[in-house]
Amino acid sequence: MHVLPEGELEQKLKLGRPLRVKLGVDPTSSRCPSRLRGSSSTGLREWQDAGHTVVLIVGDYTARIGDPSGRSSERPVLPDEELDANAKRFADQAFRVLDPRQDRSPVQRRVALRS
């Protein structure tokens, strides 16, 4: 996935400063996203090994308050306990590959970022 304009990643790497690489997951399912089980997490570890920080973002905000688009049947509000258990499961899965130290792999919860 490309999120920067073409050539900007190369420019940022030339500056020699550590980057923050982010991976977002949706905790509304109890099944761990394939991105955490496959090549994405391995690739993220390579970024860590190169001195960068990988941020795991758990997108639980909509699941806690409901979907403002009205598609509530597709994205139901889930109990906090279920979301927290799913988020923990996803972090545990990611940390099988990623360095779990907070300075190397912080976990951010979207609900916390909105409050």
Side-chain angles (χ1 to χ4, degrees):
M1 175 183 289
H2 301 282
V3 294
L4 294 173
E6 189 172 332
E8 191 166 334
L9 176 60
E10 291 79 8
Q11 289 176 357
K12 290 184 178 290
L13 289 170
K14 285 179 185 176
L15 295 174
R17 296 188 304 235
L19 301 178
R20 293 176 64 82
V21 180
K22 301 176 183 181
L23 174 66
V25 295
D26 177 1
T28 56
S29 170
S30 60
R31 292 192 52 163
C32 192
S34 61
R35 294 177 302 197
L36 291 179
R37 296 188 308 257
S39 61
S40 290
S41 58
T42 304
L44 292 172
R45 180 58 192 242
E46 291 174 6
W47 282 97
Q48 279 187 320
D49 291 344
H52 304 287
T53 299
V54 172
V55 180
L56 180 64
I57 299 175
V58 179
D60 57 352
Y61 184 71
T62 300
R64 290 184 193 272
I65 67 161
D67 188 349
S69 72
R71 297 181 307 196
S72 57
S73 63
E74 294 176 27
R75 297 168 77 180
V77 175
L78 297 176
D80 289 348
E81 297 79 19
E82 185 175 347
L83 292 170
D84 292 342
N86 291 348
K88 182 182 182 323
R89 185 177 304 110
F90 298 167
D92 290 346
Q93 182 74 33
F95 294 142
R96 290 181 182 178
V97 176
L98 299 176
D99 183 339
R101 291 177 292 177
Q102 182 64 22
D103 64 325
R104 299 285 314 271
S105 300
V107 176
Q108 295 181 352
R109 303 291 289 271
R110 294 306 299 176
V111 71
L113 297 176
R114 302 237 187 225
S115 49

